[in-house]
Amino acid sequence: MNATHTLYGAEISYFSGKVRAYLRWKGIPFEEVAADATVYREVIVPGVGFPVIPVVRTPAGALLQDSTEIIEQLEAAHPHPGIVPAGGLQRFAAALLELHADEWLVLPAMHYRWHHNREWAMRAFGALNAPDAGAEEQFAIGQRRAAPFAQAAVLLGAQPHMHAAIERSYEDLLAELDAHFADHACVLGGRPSIADFALYGPLYAHQYRDPASGALMRRRAPRLVRWVEQLRDGTLPRDGAFVPADEIPGTLLPVLRRMLREQLPVLADSIVRLREWMAQHPGERSVPRAIGMHAFALEGARGERIVRPYSLWMLQRARDVHAGLAPETKARADRLLQALGGDGWFQLPELPRLEREGLSVRLP
């Protein structure tokens, strides 16, 4: 049996970056196959059932999909060196940051790509899907292939009147992360956790690589750039340690505070909208990828965005970590949430149990 995994992905792909960095740092043998039109047609759609990346083929031939579950399954098979902190408080913080990176930072990532790097991105999509075509044909193909992604930026909340607020929030996040990486090699100390790989997804694939966004990051956050490049190259320590005594680095607190301030109200309202959808569709188990629009606030501005039930499956995972903490650790986590302005965590509406189903969720 071939002991090498195959990653079907792309350099321009948010979640391919997350999985690629994990595979590289763990030292798991893999080869990457660019997901062009032929790979989608002959491998991904027949094997997974719908067009999506990343997909990982294991040496046994199984196809894994969804970056969170890919990493979880690979971590179970390759536990050393581990990316899950032993300390419960750090596990909870890492779960919150994965939720933030996967489900909220997609807003600035898509905004910057399609409103500051649009032509470059279309050419990149064309080159990926038709690597042997000429430049003009690639651009035309890229325009067609990229259209749904470009529209997604607006659906996620990047309407024109929200651009300044999104950029202010993101540039402040860059400053917070840059200050953190002045003192720490990784998010939780001296070795990567799932929080590192999750944050790397948008910060590498959309922000570091896209030309205008990359110039901004290099100018504003050089120490963050160093972290991105070390994760890209797999050179972060494999024998480093998380911060002792299950502590959360003080430099990380502004990032967690931002997550709770910006994302938590959206998640709370998403639960309300899901429960409304359930009341309107009694007996239905499969939930659509989007269930309408709702308002959100960012940096004093108000916009609208789609309600994405998949985000609630990721929230459920973080809540499961919190619920499973030992009493003393849970008390520490609750004090941290309160200190960071996260009282809304304790006021979240009741969330029905969810199962992942492809790109969305289902009710069991």
Side-chain angles (χ1 to χ4, degrees), residues 10-53:
E11 284 286 329
I12 60 173
S13 160
Y14 193 120
F15 292 105
S16 295
K18 177 182 176 184
V19 173
R20 183 190 306 108
Y22 169 81
L23 289 165
R24 191 166 287 157
W25 181 79
K26 288 285 286 195
I28 297 173
F30 78 100
E31 61 178 359
E32 182 163 357
V33 175
D36 60 15
T38 301
V39 168
Y40 272 106
R41 183 177 63 251
E42 296 181 358
V43 179
I44 295 174
V45 173
V48 176
F50 47 91
V52 66
I53 54 174

Side-chain angles (χ1 to χ4, degrees), residues 32-203:
E32 182 163 357
V33 175
D36 60 15
T38 301
V39 168
Y40 272 106
R41 183 177 63 251
E42 296 181 358
V43 179
I44 295 174
V45 173
V48 176
F50 47 91
V52 66
I53 54 174
V55 171
V56 168
R57 185 187 297 278
T58 70
L63 289 178
L64 309 179
Q65 183 269 318
D66 184 89
S67 65
T68 297
E69 292 198 345
I70 289 171
I71 290 176
E72 192 170 72
Q73 292 184 51
L74 291 176
E75 187 72 3
H78 305 271
H80 303 293
I83 65 166
V84 179
L89 187 61
Q90 292 180 353
R91 285 201 308 276
F92 179 50
L96 288 177
L97 290 170
E98 184 180 23
L99 168 63
H100 188 50
D102 282 11
E103 300 302 311
W104 187 250
L105 294 188
V106 66
L107 172 56
M110 295 294 277
H111 163 64
Y112 277 91
R113 169 159 289 176
W114 298 110
H115 299 140
H116 289 282
N117 299 280
R118 188 182 187 92
E119 182 172 332
W120 177 90
M122 288 185 171
R123 293 190 184 280
F125 269 85
L128 171 65
N129 283 276
D132 297 326
E136 290 187 9
E137 184 181 357
Q138 285 181 344
F139 185 64
I141 292 170
Q143 286 181 302
R144 294 195 302 272
R145 294 282 186 177
F149 297 99
Q151 178 62 21
V154 176
L155 292 175
L156 288 166
Q159 298 103 8
H161 75 279
M162 293 299 294
H163 289 187
I166 293 167
E167 292 174 14
R168 185 159 56 249
S169 171
Y170 172 68
E171 291 181 18
D172 286 349
L173 175 65
L174 285 183
E176 291 160 1
L177 289 169
D178 198 57
H180 173 76
F181 289 119
D183 294 337
H184 301 279
C186 302
V187 172
L188 289 171
R191 70 188 298 173
S193 69
I194 185 58
D196 290 86
F197 300 111
L199 286 167
Y200 176 84
L203 292 173

Side-chain angles (χ1 to χ4, degrees), residues 322-335:
H322 179 263
L325 296 175
E328 182 179 337
T329 305
K330 189 174 183 181
R332 290 181 65 199
D334 291 352
R335 289 194 297 271

Side-chain angles (χ1 to χ4, degrees), residues 62-357:
L63 289 178
L64 309 179
Q65 183 269 318
D66 184 89
S67 65
T68 297
E69 292 198 345
I70 289 171
I71 290 176
E72 192 170 72
Q73 292 184 51
L74 291 176
E75 187 72 3
H78 305 271
H80 303 293
I83 65 166
V84 179
L89 187 61
Q90 292 180 353
R91 285 201 308 276
F92 179 50
L96 288 177
L97 290 170
E98 184 180 23
L99 168 63
H100 188 50
D102 282 11
E103 300 302 311
W104 187 250
L105 294 188
V106 66
L107 172 56
M110 295 294 277
H111 163 64
Y112 277 91
R113 169 159 289 176
W114 298 110
H115 299 140
H116 289 282
N117 299 280
R118 188 182 187 92
E119 182 172 332
W120 177 90
M122 288 185 171
R123 293 190 184 280
F125 269 85
L128 171 65
N129 283 276
D132 297 326
E136 290 187 9
E137 184 181 357
Q138 285 181 344
F139 185 64
I141 292 170
Q143 286 181 302
R144 294 195 302 272
R145 294 282 186 177
F149 297 99
Q151 178 62 21
V154 176
L155 292 175
L156 288 166
Q159 298 103 8
H161 75 279
M162 293 299 294
H163 289 187
I166 293 167
E167 292 174 14
R168 185 159 56 249
S169 171
Y170 172 68
E171 291 181 18
D172 286 349
L173 175 65
L174 285 183
E176 291 160 1
L177 289 169
D178 198 57
H180 173 76
F181 289 119
D183 294 337
H184 301 279
C186 302
V187 172
L188 289 171
R191 70 188 298 173
S193 69
I194 185 58
D196 290 86
F197 300 111
L199 286 167
Y200 176 84
L203 292 173
Y204 170 72
H206 282 240
Q207 306 289 27
Y208 173 87
R209 289 190 73 254
D210 290 22
S213 307
L216 172 66
M217 184 183 288
R218 289 171 177 84
R219 186 170 67 251
R220 294 291 189 92
R223 291 166 294 200
L224 173 62
V225 167
R226 180 186 62 201
W227 169 85
V228 167
E229 292 174 346
Q230 288 175 322
L231 265 182
R232 177 197 63 190
D233 300 337
T235 58
L236 282 170
R238 301 184 78 230
D239 57 353
F242 297 118
V243 172
D246 197 23
E247 294 288 344
I248 305 301
T251 48
L252 195 60
L253 299 183
V255 179
L256 290 167
R257 183 178 291 110
R258 177 175 301 279
M259 178 267 173
L260 294 167
R261 180 176 70 249
E262 295 180 352
Q263 189 178 13
L264 197 57
V266 171
L267 293 168
D269 193 61
S270 296
I271 298 175
V272 173
R273 301 308 177 106
L274 174 62
R275 298 191 69 84
E276 290 174 352
W277 181 90
M278 292 168 59
Q280 295 163 5
H281 300 84
E284 289 283 342
R285 291 293 175 260
S286 294
V287 183
R289 289 183 65 183
I291 50 173
M293 305 285 289
H294 62 167
F296 76 105
L298 186 64
E299 298 290 338
R302 293 186 63 82
E304 281 197 331
R305 69 194 313 269
I306 55 173
V307 182
R308 300 175 64 244
Y310 179 93
S311 296
L312 297 179
W313 180 73
M314 291 295 294
L315 170 64
Q316 176 179 275
R317 290 172 59 88
R319 293 182 80 182
D320 286 349
V321 173
H322 179 263
L325 296 175
E328 182 179 337
T329 305
K330 189 174 183 181
R332 290 181 65 199
D334 291 352
R335 289 194 297 271
L336 178 65
L337 287 167
Q338 291 165 344
L340 296 177
D343 287 341
W345 178 269
F346 309 104
Q347 300 159 9
L348 286 169
E350 181 182 352
L351 175 61
R353 198 71 194 169
L354 300 173
E355 298 173 351
R356 188 180 73 83
E357 183 177 59

